[in-house]
Amino acid sequence: MKPAPVLVAVRDLNWSVGKQRILHNLSLTFPAGETVALLGPSGCGKSTLLKLLAGLTQPESGEIWFDDRCMASARFCTPPEGRQLGMVFQDYALWPHMSVAQNVAFPLRMRGVEKATLHSRVEEMLMRVGLEGFAQRKPSALSGGQQQRVALARALIAEPAILLFDEPLSNLDRDLRESLAHSMKQLLRQSGTTAVYVTHDREEANIIADRIVHLAQGQVHSITQNAGNPDALTQPF
Ligand SMILES: Nc1ncnc2c1ncn2[C@@H]1O[C@H](COP(=O)(O)OP(=O)(O)OP(=O)(O)O)[C@@H](O)[C@H]1O
Ligand SMILES: [Mg+2]
């Protein structure tokens, strides 16, 4: 069964490299079912925050909560596989030896979903991301935009409680970036998943996000409501 969307909250997060403080008492709420874009200059800590949410890094102090479950603090850290996550990165991270269908099927195969169900779920997902007819191709025979659609399909098919994106469109040219951002927004709306979307690109954030969090030097600088997505006003931060 599809999991209910999760409210994610980080409280007083700190993370350093040596003496350099990268995240500074950072507190932020990601409302259930919304897409929040993290925007900010290079080096401000966007990917670091995403890695902390994913469980790839442990906080030095502070806490990370998914609904009423504390996922990480200085004392413990739930690993990524315990967090019901989907992740989509800039470099697609597809398995080159697998076909498109095998890549998308992978999370369900790991869960032991039986073959007939698996096949129909993959077909349906490929249709949703506009890749019907591409099932048997290898990633090397796809364009960058198509590869990123495969990565998105692989993340969505697992019906994660939370989706994390780290600059997923930044390898693509501007026109493609814009059209893919629109279709990603639609898919995120349909999935109802809580999503955190890191980008450098303000326009992309405006298309994708319900709220935009501007980070600067490891802290929240400001939070703006996305006027293009008025639905986002339904939940307070
Ligand atoms: N494992 C690490 N070891 C050393 N320094 C690190 C490590 N991870 C991050 N940093 C440093 O932390 C700072 C924030 O890095 P982060 O990757 O979070 O930035 P970012 O906002 O994602 O930047 P960009 O937009 O360029 O991707 C940078 O100065 C980076 O060099
Ligand atoms: Mg980064």
Side-chain angles (χ1 to χ4, degrees), residues 15 17 20 22 41-48 167 200:
W15 196 80
V17 176
Q20 192 193 356
I22 307 297
S42 182
C44 73
K46 304 181 295 295
S47 297
T48 302
E167 312 226 20
H200 275 109

Side-chain angles (χ1 to χ4, degrees), residues 5-7 30-35 161 185 188-189 192-195 210 235:
V6 166
L7 180 141
F30 302 90
E34 287 198 9
T35 300
K185 178 68 213 166
L188 286 173
R189 275 262 160 84
T193 306
T194 309
D210 300 304
Q235 291 185 64

Side-chain angles (χ1 to χ4, degrees), residues 109-184:
R109 265 212 351 254
M110 289 294 99
R111 284 188 198 160
V113 171
E114 54 119 356
K115 239 182 173 168
T117 312
L118 189 140
H119 187 74
S120 63
R121 295 259 317 263
V122 169
E123 270 202 344
E124 191 232 324
M125 188 49 74
L126 288 179
M127 209 153 71
R128 276 175 62 192
V129 299
L131 284 178
E132 58 274 47
F134 289 81
Q136 298 317 316
R137 289 229 199 146
K138 289 277 164 55
S140 57
L142 299 177
S143 71
Q146 289 164 341
Q147 288 185 57
Q148 199 54 301
R149 286 174 188 270
V150 178
L152 183 64
R154 185 179 59 185
L156 284 170
I157 205 166
E159 298 188 328
I162 296 161
L163 269 167
L164 303 175
F165 296 88
D166 199 349
E167 312 226 20
L169 305 182
S170 60
N171 280 346
L172 308 175
D173 66 45
R174 172 147 288 286
D175 287 349
L176 185 56
R177 211 150 72 210
E178 201 179 310
S179 76
L180 204 43
H182 280 290
S183 42
M184 272 165 90

